Every structure is written in structure tokens, then in C-alpha cells.
Amino acid sequence: AGLINIAIDGPAGAGKSTVARKVAEQLRYVYIDTGAMYRAVTFGALRAGIEPGDSEQVGSLAASLDIRLLPSENGQKVVLGGEDVTEQIRSREINLRVSRVAAIEQVRTRLVSMQRELAGRKGVVMDGRDIGTHVLPDAELKVFLTASVRIRAERRYRETGQADRVDLEQLEREIEQRDRLDSEREISPLICAEDAVVIDSTSLTIEQVVSQIVELSRTKK
Ligand code: C5P
């Protein structure tokens, strides 16, 4: 009883997934990382040798892919055609291509309908770029989580594996580029919903952000 939906949007590396996962844990809600779905399509395209800019081919691939989000110990597992791709979709190769795939209309239509279905029974914490503005416009609580690009790059730098290591300045440029593509695309760009609560996490800890959101959720029930 009293279940609500919580939308968490914001730019790359603002800590959305860590925060969303912890909020879901505390409220015993279901955590849904929508970025992972766009990453899975990008991974599928790469593997099939399709250029991320080829809207037609990527679009029809997206329609045919079997993408599943399953709860796991550390939040969420991503299964593509029966294969666990949770780790592989986090690579730099994917980071550099995902925004182009996510700008394709057919890709978004398919994934958004999956996302709405997943949120249908309420009690979800969903993170992404267009959750509060487009996927769940009626979500009871909307949070727009940001932080300075420098701090986002620093956080990402610390969690990046050796194989994908680039210097901090380069990482910062790549994050800015992804934000720009996500904010300037035609379909459901990254923007702050009018009714979202803005939280700037630049000088906050993860725990502080989590408790702010849990507090806010209690006022919405
Ligand atoms: O959240 P994450 O960084 O994993 O998202 C990867 C990419 O997926 C984003 O840069 C964006 O291009 C796309 N995305 C989106 N809409 C969402 C979630 C992610 O377009 N709701």
C-alpha cells in the first residue's frame, strides 16, 4: 500500500544509478536502470557490425532484441539474448556510441514501452534521462540529480577499469560530449522536468543524497 514511482534523471556520471539502487533498497522498491537498456542495444549493434548511426538497421535490431533486466545482488543484471552482458555494456566503446543509438526513434519507442510496463505496478525507482519528462510523467516523485562536470569525471575516473583508462581531461570531454548529444537530440532530450526536485550532489555524499530522496518519498505517499 502507498507505493509510488520515483524518477531520477540527470547527466552522465551524476551518481544516478548508485543513488537509485540504494533508495530502492531502503524502500524495498524495484530499481530499474534504463541507461542499461540503451547500452544493451548499442552492444547488440556493435556485435552485429551495425554502425550506431544507421537508424534503420539499429531500429530494426532494437525491435528484435531480447533484453531482460533481472534483479541481482548488486542491483540489476542485464541479459541480452540469454547472455549476461551487465559488465560488458559499461565499456568506453559503449560510452562513446550509446548517445547516437539513444537518439533513434524506433529504439526509444521500444524501450520506453518496456519501461512503462515495468513501472506499471508502482514501487519502482527508475533512472535515466527522460523518465520524469516522458516515460513516467505522472511519477509521484521526480528528482533531477546533477553535479559539476569535473566532479562527475573524477568519480568516473576512480571507477574506470585499467583497460578503459584515459586521462581525466579526456574523460571530462567525453562526458560533456555525451551530455551535449543527450540534451540536444530531438526526441525526449535530457531536460529537467518542471516539477522535479533538483539535487546538486557536487558536495554531497551518496548517503546524503539517498536520505534526501527517501525523506522526499515519505512526503509523497
Ligand atoms: O545512464 P547511462 O549513462 O547508463 O545511460 C547511457 C546513455 O543511454 C545515455 O548517455 C543516453 O544516451 C541514453 N539514455 C537515454 N534515456 C534514458 C537513459 C539513458 O537516452 N532514459
Side-chain angles (χ1 to χ4, degrees):
L3 294 182
I4 64 167
N5 280 336
I6 303 176
I8 303 183
D9 292 300
K16 296 185 301 294
S17 21
T18 309
V19 164
R21 177 163 47 79
K22 287 180 185 262
V23 169
E25 236 168 58
Q26 287 198 20
L27 297 174
R28 294 171 202 264
Y29 275 21
V30 177
Y31 161 55
I32 301 163
D33 171 3
T34 64
M37 299 165 93
Y38 292 93
R39 290 170 178 276
V41 174
T42 308
F43 181 82
L46 267 176
R47 183 173 270 181
I50 302 171
E51 274 296 307
D54 186 339
S55 333
E56 233 167 83
Q57 287 218 58
V58 178
S60 50
L61 176 77
S64 71
L65 286 176
D66 170 28
I67 304 165
R68 278 165 222 223
L69 300 185
L70 306 172
S72 80
E73 261 173 64
N74 20 354
Q76 180 193 261
K77 200 160 78 174
V78 187
V79 180
L80 183 65
E83 182 188 353
D84 185 342
V85 297
T86 314
E87 301 295 325
Q88 298 175 78
I89 59 170
R90 302 283 149 202
S91 69
R92 176 164 178 252
E93 224 185 350
I94 302 289
N95 288 342
L96 293 176
R97 291 171 174 81
V98 63
S99 292
R100 270 188 290 159
V101 168
I104 300 169
E105 182 168 21
Q106 269 179 285
V107 172
R108 302 203 71 84
T109 309
R110 161 100 206 275
L111 297 187
V112 167
S113 80
M114 283 176 69
Q115 291 156 12
R116 287 185 178 146
E117 200 166 304
L118 288 166
R121 267 160 289 147
K122 298 255 172 142
V124 308
V125 183
M126 191 175 276
D127 91 63
R129 301 293 185 287
D130 61 340
I131 310 306
T133 52
H134 180 67
V135 180
L136 305 176
D138 298 327
E140 286 80 358
L141 174 59
K142 300 178 185 180
V143 173
F144 194 82
L145 186 61
T146 63
S148 72
V149 65
R150 177 38 75 112
I151 203 88
R152 291 187 281 125
E154 282 172 5
R155 288 175 185 163
R156 271 291 150 88
Y157 187 75
R158 274 184 259 121
E159 64 194 33
T160 307
Q162 284 299 334
D164 279 340
R165 221 1 77 97
V166 291
D167 64 52
L168 187 59
E169 283 67 35
Q170 175 65 17
L171 189 58
E172 194 173 318
R173 281 194 293 275
E174 291 176 5
I175 287 176
E176 272 175 327
Q177 165 75 350
R178 188 141 67 93
D179 290 346
R180 179 145 25 83
L181 291 171
D182 290 340
S183 308
E184 291 177 356
R185 71 171 172 237
E186 245 165 85
I187 315 162
S188 326
L190 167 68
I191 41 163
C192 180
E194 266 177 39
D195 50 352
V197 179
V198 179
I199 301 180
D200 184 334
S201 74
T202 305
S203 48
L204 297 175
T205 65
I206 286 163
E207 293 313 325
Q208 287 173 318
V209 177
V210 171
S211 65
Q212 276 192 32
I213 297 174
V214 169
E215 273 310 302
L216 285 166
S217 78
R218 304 212 188 280
T219 68
K220 302 284 180 181
K221 279 189 190 165

